[in-house]
Amino acid sequence: PKLQRAARFVRGATATSLAMPPPPQSPMNPSELQHWLGEVQQFLPALQLRLMTPATGAPAVSNVVLLGANHDSEAAAVQITHTVAALQPDHVALELCNRRFRRLFPLGI
């Protein structure tokens, strides 16, 4: 029930329903992305935002933004939705414990 309630709430959310600053013009630029993350943190109190950049000298394939959240928080689910919608990343990964994985994929994948 809690997961279904959160899913309905997230489906009704839009990226513009939070008054977040617009995303960086160049999301591949680490300094612009870090500045944006600092600005939006106040709008996303349920999340911990961290920018992971390639090591010095490593090929700059992409930046990684980690969104730390309480898995059972409806507020975090909505804020993650807004952040992903704003950044429009090429890839999104989700870390799940075994219990949550079985809830989402009861028959496996």
Side-chain angles (χ1 to χ4, degrees):
K2 191 173 192 177
L3 184 62
Q4 291 170 343
R5 195 169 59 244
R8 281 194 308 271
F9 195 62
V10 169
R11 276 196 296 269
T14 64
T16 58
S17 63
L18 282 181
M20 293 183 358
Q25 293 294 321
S26 176
M28 285 299 293
N29 181 323
S31 62
E32 283 186 39
L33 187 53
Q34 184 63 53
H35 179 74
W36 182 80
L37 291 173
E39 286 183 336
V40 301
Q41 182 66 67
Q42 66 180 323
F43 299 97
L44 308 169
L47 304 181
Q48 292 291 322
L49 305 172
R50 299 286 181 267
L51 173 62
M52 309 293 289
T53 57
T56 304
V61 177
S62 63
N63 297 308
V64 174
V65 177
L66 296 177
L67 305 175
N70 177 339
H71 291 210
D72 292 324
S73 166
E74 289 182 27
V78 170
Q79 292 172 23
I80 288 169
T81 301
H82 291 293
T83 305
V84 170
L87 288 175
Q88 298 180 346
D90 292 331
H91 306 283
V92 175
L94 177 64
E95 176 269 328
L96 297 170
C97 66
N98 285 333
R99 180 178 62 86
R100 289 181 180 88
F101 179 84
R102 286 191 306 273
R103 280 176 52 193
L104 289 173
F105 304 102
L107 302 176
I109 54 172

